[in-house]
Amino acid sequence: MFYHVKELQHTAKPDRPDPVYAKKLQEILGGQFGEMTVMLQYLFQGWNCRAEAKYRDMLLDIGTEEIGHVEMIATMIAQLLDGAPVDQVEQAAANPVIGAVLGGMNPQHVIVSGLGATPTDSVGYPWNARYTIASGNLLADFRANLNAESQGRLQVVRLYEETTDRGVRDMLSFLIARDTMHQNQWMAAIEEIEQQQKAIVPSSFPQNLEVEEVSYQFMNFSEGDESSTGRWASGPSMDGQGTFQYVAHPVARGQAPKLNPAPPFVHSTPGMQPVLVNH
């Protein structure tokens, strides 16, 4: 069961309208790493969770919080669109500077949503459910969550730098702080799971079924050998199951591909083999 509290989690009120910035703010609402993505990613991970109850509860806690963040940003976008362009149309017609500014706004904010937010990114691309990850493997999912929060916090910080509006910055500073917590949250959950199982996903697959001789080899497939100095090129592997090896000159292990000709009904270009013709 969900219920809605009328008050926002944090104040979302700009000092002044800014339709161009409203367009930019759409990225952290309906973009790949926006609040809509993490909201549904966490909720589906929680709804599908078959692990210990604490993981389901935690996922639904944070997923529900993200619903509130979606509302905060949508509310901010709507207020940034207040008074634009309805009361500025005549000015825009007479003033090319104002016209150029309004020309930078998202026209769908007027045509489609009537001066409101839309479930799209900053260039109008519709939000896509394929942005979300809910695999049923919590270690894999929590690593994806850490990446989502890292990218999301990066984008919010960049947007913070692009405005001097104190009200907008106040809301963004709150979201930045929550992303700090959420990154720490996923790192803590990842560490907890890694203490209980192997660090490689999935940990349940028998490692002896791999081609084990290449399991810990870093292969130099580009010009230069600077990569040989990295932590990944020597020393114990991160999963504690092997030792990293640097392979300076990898060699091909397989065959040269040679495909059979396609049957006539496919109408492909014939190969060099002789074609049998019935007389």
Side-chain angles (χ1 to χ4, degrees), residues 112-132:
V112 176
S113 63
L115 303 181
T118 61
T120 61
D121 65 15
S122 57
V123 294
Y125 187 81
W127 183 85
N128 192 323
R130 290 192 179 274
Y131 295 156
T132 64

Side-chain angles (χ1 to χ4, degrees), residues 99-119:
V101 171
L102 292 178
M105 72 180 293
N106 180 357
Q108 290 192 331
H109 277 157
V110 178
I111 301 167
V112 176
S113 63
L115 303 181
T118 61

Side-chain angles (χ1 to χ4, degrees), residues 1 15 139:
M1 179 179 72
D15 291 343
L139 183 53

Side-chain angles (χ1 to χ4, degrees), residues 9-11 65 69 72 156 160 168-180:
Q9 188 183 12
H10 187 81
T11 303
E65 178 183 0
H69 293 178
M72 286 168 57
V156 176
Y160 182 95
V168 174
R169 278 193 160 188
D170 178 60
M171 183 196 75
L172 295 182
S173 67
F174 175 81
L175 294 176
I176 291 167
R178 294 308 295 157
D179 286 347
T180 296

Side-chain angles (χ1 to χ4, degrees), residues 3-217:
Y3 67 93
H4 180 257
V5 176
K6 292 183 175 62
E7 292 78 17
L8 299 175
Q9 188 183 12
H10 187 81
T11 303
K13 188 172 180 59
D15 291 343
R16 66 191 66 84
D18 187 342
V20 177
Y21 192 81
K23 177 180 178 180
K24 296 178 182 180
L25 208 57
Q26 283 283 160
E27 191 63 36
I28 61 169
L29 176 65
Q32 181 178 0
F33 300 108
E35 300 290 353
M36 289 182 62
T37 293
V38 290
M39 172 187 75
L40 284 169
Q41 180 158 306
Y42 301 158
L43 289 175
F44 271 95
Q45 288 177 9
W47 292 327
N48 296 341
C49 183
R50 299 173 185 270
E52 293 180 60
K54 64 180 178 180
Y55 294 118
R56 177 185 176 89
D57 191 38
M58 178 264 284
L59 283 161
L60 295 180
D61 282 337
I62 184 174
T64 305
E65 178 183 0
E66 301 293 4
I67 298 176
H69 293 178
V70 169
E71 183 179 19
M72 286 168 57
I73 297 171
T75 300
M76 179 65 79
I77 289 172
Q79 292 172 102
L80 287 167
L81 294 168
D82 279 347
V86 177
D87 65 351
Q88 300 180 30
V89 172
E90 293 183 3
Q91 296 179 48
N95 188 327
V97 175
I98 295 177
V101 171
L102 292 178
M105 72 180 293
N106 180 357
Q108 290 192 331
H109 277 157
V110 178
I111 301 167
V112 176
S113 63
L115 303 181
T118 61
T120 61
D121 65 15
S122 57
V123 294
Y125 187 81
W127 183 85
N128 192 323
R130 290 192 179 274
Y131 295 156
T132 64
I133 295 172
S135 71
N137 185 299
L138 290 185
L139 183 53
D141 285 351
F142 290 176
R143 287 171 175 169
N145 296 350
L146 178 57
N147 175 64
E149 292 288 348
S150 301
Q151 295 291 339
R153 189 174 189 274
L154 175 62
Q155 292 182 355
V156 176
V157 166
R158 287 171 172 169
L159 282 166
Y160 182 95
E161 301 288 1
E162 290 193 26
T163 183
T164 57
D165 187 298
R166 291 172 300 176
V168 174
R169 278 193 160 188
D170 178 60
M171 183 196 75
L172 295 182
S173 67
F174 175 81
L175 294 176
I176 291 167
R178 294 308 295 157
D179 286 347
T180 296
M181 172 56 198
H182 294 161
Q183 286 188 47
N184 276 283
Q185 173 183 325
W186 297 125
M187 286 189 283
I190 289 167
E191 180 183 79
E192 183 176 273
I193 293 176
E194 287 180 345
Q195 290 174 348
Q196 302 168 10
Q197 64 178 57
K198 293 180 180 179
I200 301 301
V201 176
S203 62
S204 54
F205 186 78
Q207 195 159 359
N208 65 299
L209 298 181
E210 299 179 17
V211 181
E212 291 186 275
E213 64 186 274
V214 300
S215 293
Y216 300 100
Q217 290 182 348

